[in-house]
Amino acid sequence: MYCTRQVTDSVTWVGGSDRRLALFENLFPIARGVAYNSYLIQDEKTALIDTVDSSISRLFIENIYHALNGRELDYLVVNHMEPDHCSNIDELMLRFPNLKIVGNTKTFNMIRQFYEVDLENRMVVVNEGDTLSLGKHTLTFVFAPMVHWPEVMMTYEMSEGLLFSADAFGSFGAIGGNIFNDEVNFDRDWLSDARRYYTNIVGKYGVQVQAALKKAAAVKINMILPLHGPIWRNNLEYLLDKYNKWSLYQPEDKAVVIFYASMYGDTENAASVLATGLAEAGVKDIKIYDVSSTHVSTLIEETFRASHLVFACPTYNMGIYPGMLNFLHDMKALNVQNRTVAVMENGSWAPVAGKLIKELLGTMKNMTILEPTVTIKSSLKEDSRAKVEELKMLFLPL
Ligand code: FEO
């Protein structure tokens, strides 16, 4: 049965949510599910902005027929060709024989790569800044390559100031009726998932996100309508500020996060001793994560949030403990930079993890590495504890 909501008098949300999928992109845990947003604009002409993942195709098709109420579907605008949004293009082309597909050159190349469809007489190829009139509503197309794929564009509707932003400004999390940001407690229930979504999916492309933000700043936006998560219809400056910080790799919080790997609890103990010392010195909201039991997407999210990062790690096979190594490689891949970092290593006979971690951190931009590196031989003793104390003092005042 259909399940839609009006966004404005002319725009209907025809998307849906998947609460059964365990891993987004078969990679990222989504305990709160995920929403796939799609929007139908009805004027003299009708235009659908993007489709949805195949997991909710049945609902999606019912939503469209309900919202159209017997009208034809004239245009499908394809802002993004990742299959969580483009899985119903061929189905819609079959159901609506006069449907025209709106996209850029790269969009159509990808449609051909993914699907066996006859695009003859079905394509409207647009360039940056082109317009498409639907009647009172006019769409213009703003290219946003690599936010998140090279073909990505955003669609701006001029009369109502609606920015259909593709993946940008989206979030993990299923939508439960409340599709607007002012209907949810975003800070409490959504911010962490929005940050985890952005940093892991688009985090690498800060420069491209900055370019898109500059384009967005040139037009009057009343509403941001992403492909995942809530629609933003007020307090846009809050969201834009978050995106600005994330894409500039500036920390949101002046805060300490300690990431540790520990085989038998001794490196964990050193992490706890450092955290306790910092807390006694007045540092608040310290976070500690075990890299073996915390998904790397959460670790990455925290590296984008906090200003001060500590890596505590055993030496393993004359290298970095595997969970920590994977995390550091992900940090590098996602361009994490501009942080103050410290290292604690453990090794029962030949500790080398600290040196290797610092080498990896040194390949990331503008990382300030605090010295000394604390070296633990099997377990913390008074001499190594004194080094933890010395390290602690370097964080103060935070
Ligand atoms: Fe939600 Fe890049 O797809």
PDB file of all heavy atoms in Angstrom, residues 21-50:
ATOM      1  N   LEU A  21      17.962  -4.233   5.807  1.00  0.00           N
ATOM      2  CA  LEU A  21      19.335  -4.279   5.303  1.00  0.00           C
ATOM      3  C   LEU A  21      20.322  -4.126   6.470  1.00  0.00           C
ATOM      4  O   LEU A  21      20.203  -3.201   7.265  1.00  0.00           O
ATOM      5  CB  LEU A  21      19.548  -3.148   4.288  1.00  0.00           C
ATOM      6  CG  LEU A  21      20.912  -3.093   3.604  1.00  0.00           C
ATOM      7  CD1 LEU A  21      21.085  -4.269   2.647  1.00  0.00           C
ATOM      8  CD2 LEU A  21      21.072  -1.773   2.836  1.00  0.00           C
ATOM      9  N   ALA A  22      21.276  -5.047   6.561  1.00  0.00           N
ATOM     10  CA  ALA A  22      22.244  -4.988   7.665  1.00  0.00           C
ATOM     11  C   ALA A  22      23.411  -4.058   7.339  1.00  0.00           C
ATOM     12  O   ALA A  22      23.872  -3.299   8.191  1.00  0.00           O
ATOM     13  CB  ALA A  22      22.768  -6.383   7.980  1.00  0.00           C
ATOM     14  N   LEU A  23      23.893  -4.125   6.097  1.00  0.00           N
ATOM     15  CA  LEU A  23      25.088  -3.373   5.720  1.00  0.00           C
ATOM     16  C   LEU A  23      24.825  -2.536   4.477  1.00  0.00           C
ATOM     17  O   LEU A  23      24.550  -3.083   3.396  1.00  0.00           O
ATOM     18  CB  LEU A  23      26.253  -4.331   5.433  1.00  0.00           C
ATOM     19  CG  LEU A  23      26.754  -5.218   6.569  1.00  0.00           C
ATOM     20  CD1 LEU A  23      27.804  -6.199   6.062  1.00  0.00           C
ATOM     21  CD2 LEU A  23      27.339  -4.358   7.693  1.00  0.00           C
ATOM     22  N   PHE A  24      24.907  -1.233   4.600  1.00  0.00           N
ATOM     23  CA  PHE A  24      24.791  -0.341   3.453  1.00  0.00           C
ATOM     24  C   PHE A  24      26.043  -0.499   2.584  1.00  0.00           C
ATOM     25  O   PHE A  24      27.167  -0.512   3.110  1.00  0.00           O
ATOM     26  CB  PHE A  24      24.671   1.094   3.947  1.00  0.00           C
ATOM     27  CG  PHE A  24      24.442   2.108   2.871  1.00  0.00           C
ATOM     28  CD1 PHE A  24      23.191   2.270   2.310  1.00  0.00           C
ATOM     29  CD2 PHE A  24      25.482   2.905   2.411  1.00  0.00           C
ATOM     30  CE1 PHE A  24      22.972   3.211   1.315  1.00  0.00           C
ATOM     31  CE2 PHE A  24      25.272   3.845   1.416  1.00  0.00           C
ATOM     32  CZ  PHE A  24      24.018   3.988   0.864  1.00  0.00           C
ATOM     33  N   GLU A  25      25.865  -0.604   1.293  1.00  0.00           N
ATOM     34  CA  GLU A  25      26.958  -0.924   0.360  1.00  0.00           C
ATOM     35  C   GLU A  25      27.650  -2.235   0.751  1.00  0.00           C
ATOM     36  O   GLU A  25      28.821  -2.454   0.440  1.00  0.00           O
ATOM     37  CB  GLU A  25      27.992   0.210   0.266  1.00  0.00           C
ATOM     38  CG  GLU A  25      27.462   1.471  -0.393  1.00  0.00           C
ATOM     39  CD  GLU A  25      28.516   2.534  -0.615  1.00  0.00           C
ATOM     40  OE1 GLU A  25      29.654   2.375  -0.141  1.00  0.00           O
ATOM     41  OE2 GLU A  25      28.198   3.536  -1.287  1.00  0.00           O
ATOM     42  N   ASN A  26      26.918  -3.090   1.487  1.00  0.00           N
ATOM     43  CA  ASN A  26      27.486  -4.353   2.000  1.00  0.00           C
ATOM     44  C   ASN A  26      28.740  -4.107   2.822  1.00  0.00           C
ATOM     45  O   ASN A  26      29.644  -4.933   2.877  1.00  0.00           O
ATOM     46  CB  ASN A  26      27.789  -5.319   0.849  1.00  0.00           C
ATOM     47  CG  ASN A  26      27.638  -6.777   1.266  1.00  0.00           C
ATOM     48  OD1 ASN A  26      27.114  -7.062   2.348  1.00  0.00           O
ATOM     49  ND2 ASN A  26      28.109  -7.681   0.453  1.00  0.00           N
ATOM     50  N   LEU A  27      28.778  -2.943   3.459  1.00  0.00           N
ATOM     51  CA  LEU A  27      29.988  -2.487   4.143  1.00  0.00           C
ATOM     52  C   LEU A  27      29.702  -1.820   5.490  1.00  0.00           C
ATOM     53  O   LEU A  27      30.388  -2.081   6.472  1.00  0.00           O
ATOM     54  CB  LEU A  27      30.716  -1.506   3.202  1.00  0.00           C
ATOM     55  CG  LEU A  27      32.132  -1.089   3.498  1.00  0.00           C
ATOM     56  CD1 LEU A  27      33.053  -2.296   3.574  1.00  0.00           C
ATOM     57  CD2 LEU A  27      32.643  -0.150   2.381  1.00  0.00           C
ATOM     58  N   PHE A  28      28.708  -0.945   5.521  1.00  0.00           N
ATOM     59  CA  PHE A  28      28.486  -0.114   6.706  1.00  0.00           C
ATOM     60  C   PHE A  28      27.265  -0.587   7.495  1.00  0.00           C
ATOM     61  O   PHE A  28      26.161  -0.605   6.948  1.00  0.00           O
ATOM     62  CB  PHE A  28      28.285   1.353   6.296  1.00  0.00           C
ATOM     63  CG  PHE A  28      29.424   1.899   5.490  1.00  0.00           C
ATOM     64  CD1 PHE A  28      29.282   2.132   4.130  1.00  0.00           C
ATOM     65  CD2 PHE A  28      30.638   2.162   6.087  1.00  0.00           C
ATOM     66  CE1 PHE A  28      30.346   2.613   3.378  1.00  0.00           C
ATOM     67  CE2 PHE A  28      31.707   2.646   5.348  1.00  0.00           C
ATOM     68  CZ  PHE A  28      31.562   2.872   3.994  1.00  0.00           C
ATOM     69  N   PRO A  29      27.442  -0.931   8.782  1.00  0.00           N
ATOM     70  CA  PRO A  29      26.283  -1.344   9.590  1.00  0.00           C
ATOM     71  C   PRO A  29      25.260  -0.216   9.701  1.00  0.00           C
ATOM     72  O   PRO A  29      25.640   0.944   9.923  1.00  0.00           O
ATOM     73  CB  PRO A  29      26.897  -1.637  10.968  1.00  0.00           C
ATOM     74  CG  PRO A  29      28.356  -1.775  10.746  1.00  0.00           C
ATOM     75  CD  PRO A  29      28.700  -0.940   9.557  1.00  0.00           C
ATOM     76  N   ILE A  30      23.998  -0.572   9.538  1.00  0.00           N
ATOM     77  CA  ILE A  30      22.943   0.461   9.644  1.00  0.00           C
ATOM     78  C   ILE A  30      21.847  -0.056  10.574  1.00  0.00           C
ATOM     79  O   ILE A  30      20.778  -0.470  10.130  1.00  0.00           O
ATOM     80  CB  ILE A  30      22.369   0.870   8.267  1.00  0.00           C
ATOM     81  CG1 ILE A  30      22.123  -0.351   7.367  1.00  0.00           C
ATOM     82  CG2 ILE A  30      23.284   1.860   7.567  1.00  0.00           C
ATOM     83  CD1 ILE A  30      21.331  -0.014   6.107  1.00  0.00           C
ATOM     84  N   ALA A  31      22.144   0.000  11.864  1.00  0.00           N
ATOM     85  CA  ALA A  31      21.200  -0.511  12.865  1.00  0.00           C
ATOM     86  C   ALA A  31      19.865   0.213  12.778  1.00  0.00           C
ATOM     87  O   ALA A  31      18.819  -0.353  13.115  1.00  0.00           O
ATOM     88  CB  ALA A  31      21.803  -0.345  14.256  1.00  0.00           C
ATOM     89  N   ARG A  32      19.871   1.454  12.323  1.00  0.00           N
ATOM     90  CA  ARG A  32      18.626   2.245  12.216  1.00  0.00           C
ATOM     91  C   ARG A  32      18.053   2.208  10.801  1.00  0.00           C
ATOM     92  O   ARG A  32      17.152   2.981  10.472  1.00  0.00           O
ATOM     93  CB  ARG A  32      18.896   3.700  12.626  1.00  0.00           C
ATOM     94  CG  ARG A  32      19.318   3.856  14.091  1.00  0.00           C
ATOM     95  CD  ARG A  32      19.679   5.304  14.421  1.00  0.00           C
ATOM     96  NE  ARG A  32      18.606   6.218  14.137  1.00  0.00           N
ATOM     97  CZ  ARG A  32      18.645   7.192  13.203  1.00  0.00           C
ATOM     98  NH1 ARG A  32      19.728   7.354  12.468  1.00  0.00           N
ATOM     99  NH2 ARG A  32      17.627   7.988  13.003  1.00  0.00           N
ATOM    100  N   GLY A  33      18.576   1.331   9.948  1.00  0.00           N
ATOM    101  CA  GLY A  33      18.058   1.242   8.585  1.00  0.00           C
ATOM    102  C   GLY A  33      18.521   2.393   7.719  1.00  0.00           C
ATOM    103  O   GLY A  33      19.469   3.126   8.066  1.00  0.00           O
ATOM    104  N   VAL A  34      17.871   2.553   6.591  1.00  0.00           N
ATOM    105  CA  VAL A  34      18.226   3.637   5.674  1.00  0.00           C
ATOM    106  C   VAL A  34      16.990   4.027   4.868  1.00  0.00           C
ATOM    107  O   VAL A  34      16.141   3.181   4.579  1.00  0.00           O
ATOM    108  CB  VAL A  34      19.390   3.232   4.741  1.00  0.00           C
ATOM    109  CG1 VAL A  34      18.996   2.095   3.801  1.00  0.00           C
ATOM    110  CG2 VAL A  34      19.949   4.416   3.965  1.00  0.00           C
ATOM    111  N   ALA A  35      16.893   5.304   4.552  1.00  0.00           N
ATOM    112  CA  ALA A  35      15.784   5.792   3.719  1.00  0.00           C
ATOM    113  C   ALA A  35      16.290   6.088   2.316  1.00  0.00           C
ATOM    114  O   ALA A  35      17.425   6.551   2.141  1.00  0.00           O
ATOM    115  CB  ALA A  35      15.191   7.063   4.334  1.00  0.00           C
ATOM    116  N   TYR A  36      15.472   5.795   1.338  1.00  0.00           N
ATOM    117  CA  TYR A  36      15.752   6.162  -0.050  1.00  0.00           C
ATOM    118  C   TYR A  36      14.681   7.173  -0.460  1.00  0.00           C
ATOM    119  O   TYR A  36      13.512   6.812  -0.620  1.00  0.00           O
ATOM    120  CB  TYR A  36      15.702   4.928  -0.959  1.00  0.00           C
ATOM    121  CG  TYR A  36      16.619   3.812  -0.512  1.00  0.00           C
ATOM    122  CD1 TYR A  36      16.104   2.634   0.017  1.00  0.00           C
ATOM    123  CD2 TYR A  36      18.006   3.940  -0.608  1.00  0.00           C
ATOM    124  CE1 TYR A  36      16.948   1.615   0.443  1.00  0.00           C
ATOM    125  CE2 TYR A  36      18.856   2.924  -0.180  1.00  0.00           C
ATOM    126  CZ  TYR A  36      18.318   1.762   0.342  1.00  0.00           C
ATOM    127  OH  TYR A  36      19.146   0.751   0.777  1.00  0.00           O
ATOM    128  N   ASN A  37      15.092   8.400  -0.614  1.00  0.00           N
ATOM    129  CA  ASN A  37      14.118   9.447  -0.930  1.00  0.00           C
ATOM    130  C   ASN A  37      13.972   9.625  -2.433  1.00  0.00           C
ATOM    131  O   ASN A  37      14.949   9.526  -3.181  1.00  0.00           O
ATOM    132  CB  ASN A  37      14.555  10.787  -0.320  1.00  0.00           C
ATOM    133  CG  ASN A  37      14.597  10.740   1.194  1.00  0.00           C
ATOM    134  OD1 ASN A  37      13.850   9.984   1.817  1.00  0.00           O
ATOM    135  ND2 ASN A  37      15.460  11.538   1.794  1.00  0.00           N
ATOM    136  N   SER A  38      12.754   9.897  -2.851  1.00  0.00           N
ATOM    137  CA  SER A  38      12.461  10.230  -4.238  1.00  0.00           C
ATOM    138  C   SER A  38      11.323  11.243  -4.190  1.00  0.00           C
ATOM    139  O   SER A  38      10.489  11.192  -3.278  1.00  0.00           O
ATOM    140  CB  SER A  38      12.045   8.962  -4.992  1.00  0.00           C
ATOM    141  OG  SER A  38      11.558   9.286  -6.275  1.00  0.00           O
ATOM    142  N   TYR A  39      11.321  12.148  -5.146  1.00  0.00           N
ATOM    143  CA  TYR A  39      10.388  13.274  -5.074  1.00  0.00           C
ATOM    144  C   TYR A  39       9.673  13.453  -6.401  1.00  0.00           C
ATOM    145  O   TYR A  39      10.313  13.461  -7.464  1.00  0.00           O
ATOM    146  CB  TYR A  39      11.153  14.557  -4.727  1.00  0.00           C
ATOM    147  CG  TYR A  39      11.999  14.442  -3.476  1.00  0.00           C
ATOM    148  CD1 TYR A  39      13.366  14.141  -3.562  1.00  0.00           C
ATOM    149  CD2 TYR A  39      11.438  14.614  -2.214  1.00  0.00           C
ATOM    150  CE1 TYR A  39      14.144  14.027  -2.418  1.00  0.00           C
ATOM    151  CE2 TYR A  39      12.218  14.503  -1.061  1.00  0.00           C
ATOM    152  CZ  TYR A  39      13.577  14.216  -1.168  1.00  0.00           C
ATOM    153  OH  TYR A  39      14.341  14.104  -0.037  1.00  0.00           O
ATOM    154  N   LEU A  40       8.368  13.631  -6.324  1.00  0.00           N
ATOM    155  CA  LEU A  40       7.567  13.853  -7.531  1.00  0.00           C
ATOM    156  C   LEU A  40       7.082  15.297  -7.555  1.00  0.00           C
ATOM    157  O   LEU A  40       6.412  15.741  -6.608  1.00  0.00           O
ATOM    158  CB  LEU A  40       6.368  12.897  -7.543  1.00  0.00           C
ATOM    159  CG  LEU A  40       5.438  13.043  -8.742  1.00  0.00           C
ATOM    160  CD1 LEU A  40       6.130  12.593 -10.028  1.00  0.00           C
ATOM    161  CD2 LEU A  40       4.149  12.245  -8.532  1.00  0.00           C
ATOM    162  N   ILE A  41       7.432  16.019  -8.625  1.00  0.00           N
ATOM    163  CA  ILE A  41       6.958  17.401  -8.803  1.00  0.00           C
ATOM    164  C   ILE A  41       5.825  17.370  -9.821  1.00  0.00           C
ATOM    165  O   ILE A  41       5.984  16.803 -10.914  1.00  0.00           O
ATOM    166  CB  ILE A  41       8.085  18.320  -9.316  1.00  0.00           C
ATOM    167  CG1 ILE A  41       9.310  18.229  -8.408  1.00  0.00           C
ATOM    168  CG2 ILE A  41       7.597  19.762  -9.405  1.00  0.00           C
ATOM    169  CD1 ILE A  41      10.536  18.970  -8.958  1.00  0.00           C
ATOM    170  N   GLN A  42       4.692  17.986  -9.479  1.00  0.00           N
ATOM    171  CA  GLN A  42       3.559  18.014 -10.412  1.00  0.00           C
ATOM    172  C   GLN A  42       3.211  19.456 -10.763  1.00  0.00           C
ATOM    173  O   GLN A  42       2.881  20.261  -9.895  1.00  0.00           O
ATOM    174  CB  GLN A  42       2.360  17.307  -9.807  1.00  0.00           C
ATOM    175  CG  GLN A  42       2.655  15.837  -9.526  1.00  0.00           C
ATOM    176  CD  GLN A  42       1.413  15.022  -9.273  1.00  0.00           C
ATOM    177  OE1 GLN A  42       0.628  14.805 -10.190  1.00  0.00           O
ATOM    178  NE2 GLN A  42       1.245  14.591  -8.048  1.00  0.00           N
ATOM    179  N   ASP A  43       3.291  19.732 -12.041  1.00  0.00           N
ATOM    180  CA  ASP A  43       2.964  21.056 -12.577  1.00  0.00           C
ATOM    181  C   ASP A  43       2.246  20.771 -13.888  1.00  0.00           C
ATOM    182  O   ASP A  43       1.569  19.737 -14.008  1.00  0.00           O
ATOM    183  CB  ASP A  43       4.274  21.863 -12.754  1.00  0.00           C
ATOM    184  CG  ASP A  43       4.044  23.362 -12.840  1.00  0.00           C
ATOM    185  OD1 ASP A  43       3.122  23.778 -13.556  1.00  0.00           O
ATOM    186  OD2 ASP A  43       4.810  24.113 -12.225  1.00  0.00           O
ATOM    187  N   GLU A  44       2.421  21.643 -14.907  1.00  0.00           N
ATOM    188  CA  GLU A  44       1.854  21.283 -16.213  1.00  0.00           C
ATOM    189  C   GLU A  44       2.478  19.980 -16.704  1.00  0.00           C
ATOM    190  O   GLU A  44       1.847  19.169 -17.374  1.00  0.00           O
ATOM    191  CB  GLU A  44       2.121  22.409 -17.224  1.00  0.00           C
ATOM    192  CG  GLU A  44       1.313  23.667 -16.931  1.00  0.00           C
ATOM    193  CD  GLU A  44       1.850  24.872 -17.676  1.00  0.00           C
ATOM    194  OE1 GLU A  44       2.483  24.690 -18.732  1.00  0.00           O
ATOM    195  OE2 GLU A  44       1.650  25.989 -17.178  1.00  0.00           O
ATOM    196  N   LYS A  45       3.756  19.824 -16.387  1.00  0.00           N
ATOM    197  CA  LYS A  45       4.453  18.558 -16.617  1.00  0.00           C
ATOM    198  C   LYS A  45       4.752  17.926 -15.255  1.00  0.00           C
ATOM    199  O   LYS A  45       4.812  18.616 -14.232  1.00  0.00           O
ATOM    200  CB  LYS A  45       5.766  18.802 -17.368  1.00  0.00           C
ATOM    201  CG  LYS A  45       5.594  19.368 -18.767  1.00  0.00           C
ATOM    202  CD  LYS A  45       5.148  18.286 -19.727  1.00  0.00           C
ATOM    203  CE  LYS A  45       5.140  18.797 -21.155  1.00  0.00           C
ATOM    204  NZ  LYS A  45       4.626  17.744 -22.084  1.00  0.00           N
ATOM    205  N   THR A  46       5.012  16.628 -15.261  1.00  0.00           N
ATOM    206  CA  THR A  46       5.378  15.945 -14.021  1.00  0.00           C
ATOM    207  C   THR A  46       6.831  15.472 -14.124  1.00  0.00           C
ATOM    208  O   THR A  46       7.283  15.062 -15.202  1.00  0.00           O
ATOM    209  CB  THR A  46       4.481  14.719 -13.770  1.00  0.00           C
ATOM    210  OG1 THR A  46       4.625  13.817 -14.865  1.00  0.00           O
ATOM    211  CG2 THR A  46       3.024  15.128 -13.619  1.00  0.00           C
ATOM    212  N   ALA A  47       7.536  15.558 -13.012  1.00  0.00           N
ATOM    213  CA  ALA A  47       8.948  15.138 -13.005  1.00  0.00           C
ATOM    214  C   ALA A  47       9.254  14.414 -11.703  1.00  0.00           C
ATOM    215  O   ALA A  47       8.930  14.906 -10.612  1.00  0.00           O
ATOM    216  CB  ALA A  47       9.865  16.341 -13.159  1.00  0.00           C
ATOM    217  N   LEU A  48       9.865  13.262 -11.842  1.00  0.00           N
ATOM    218  CA  LEU A  48      10.325  12.503 -10.686  1.00  0.00           C
ATOM    219  C   LEU A  48      11.816  12.765 -10.515  1.00  0.00           C
ATOM    220  O   LEU A  48      12.571  12.717 -11.501  1.00  0.00           O
ATOM    221  CB  LEU A  48      10.074  11.013 -10.934  1.00  0.00           C
ATOM    222  CG  LEU A  48      10.358  10.053  -9.790  1.00  0.00           C
ATOM    223  CD1 LEU A  48       9.374  10.266  -8.640  1.00  0.00           C
ATOM    224  CD2 LEU A  48      10.274   8.605 -10.292  1.00  0.00           C
ATOM    225  N   ILE A  49      12.234  13.060  -9.285  1.00  0.00           N
ATOM    226  CA  ILE A  49      13.654  13.286  -9.027  1.00  0.00           C
ATOM    227  C   ILE A  49      14.224  12.018  -8.395  1.00  0.00           C
ATOM    228  O   ILE A  49      13.969  11.712  -7.236  1.00  0.00           O
ATOM    229  CB  ILE A  49      13.879  14.488  -8.081  1.00  0.00           C
ATOM    230  CG1 ILE A  49      13.070  15.709  -8.524  1.00  0.00           C
ATOM    231  CG2 ILE A  49      15.370  14.808  -7.979  1.00  0.00           C
ATOM    232  CD1 ILE A  49      13.513  16.348  -9.802  1.00  0.00           C
ATOM    233  N   ASP A  50      14.966  11.272  -9.185  1.00  0.00           N
ATOM    234  CA  ASP A  50      15.633  10.031  -8.791  1.00  0.00           C
ATOM    235  C   ASP A  50      14.627   8.926  -8.434  1.00  0.00           C
ATOM    236  O   ASP A  50      13.451   9.176  -8.221  1.00  0.00           O
ATOM    237  CB  ASP A  50      16.624  10.251  -7.635  1.00  0.00           C
ATOM    238  CG  ASP A  50      17.847  11.033  -8.099  1.00  0.00           C
ATOM    239  OD1 ASP A  50      18.578  10.518  -8.956  1.00  0.00           O
ATOM    240  OD2 ASP A  50      18.041  12.173  -7.633  1.00  0.00           O
TER     241      ASP A  50
END
